[in-house]
Amino acid sequence: RGPQLFKTDPAGYFAGYRATAAGAKHQEAFNYLEKKLKGDELLSTDDTVELAIGTLSSVLAANFKSQDLEVAIVTKDNPKFRVLTVEEIDAELTRIAEKD
């Protein structure tokens, strides 16, 4: 089945998700993700990072600079936890800005 995402609560209940959020404004972020992820289409790594940054930006009503964010990824092809560099985040922010 490949990589999967689960969220657990303190009582031990768990559920699988395509995307989820935690922390302040998690419900708003979850609703945003639910609207954006209709259907079963698979996202590329770049599209997933773009969606994550876009969700934060929308829910927090903020425009981010690359120094404001920390983004890490784990993929099926590269299962090692990897933090994106400031340059990689800047490239993603540029890509997002060009789409708007």
Side-chain angles (χ1 to χ4, degrees):
R1 289 183 41 103
Q4 297 180 39
L5 174 66
F6 291 91
K7 186 175 180 181
T8 59
D9 68 11
Y13 171 76
F14 65 94
Y17 293 94
R18 290 190 59 217
T20 193
K25 297 193 177 188
H26 73 277
Q27 189 60 51
E28 292 93 330
F30 187 79
N31 292 341
Y32 181 90
L33 289 166
E34 202 170 44
K35 279 193 276 184
K36 293 291 184 178
L37 288 172
K38 295 178 182 169
D40 286 335
E41 77 276 1
L42 295 177
L43 298 178
S44 68
T45 301
D46 286 341
D47 290 340
T48 303
V49 171
E50 180 182 327
L51 178 61
I53 294 171
T55 301
L56 283 172
S57 182
S58 175
V59 170
L60 300 176
N63 289 318
F64 295 108
K65 293 182 239 155
S66 54
Q67 298 84 1
D68 298 335
L69 298 170
E70 282 186 313
V71 178
I73 59 173
V74 177
T75 64
K76 185 176 182 179
D77 296 331
N78 185 8
K80 186 176 178 188
F81 184 88
R82 183 174 80 82
V83 177
L84 298 184
T85 65
V86 171
E87 292 78 19
E88 289 173 308
I89 295 170
D90 196 44
E92 291 295 336
L93 290 171
T94 301
R95 191 169 89 111
I96 291 168
E98 288 173 354
K99 280 190 170 182
D100 293 342

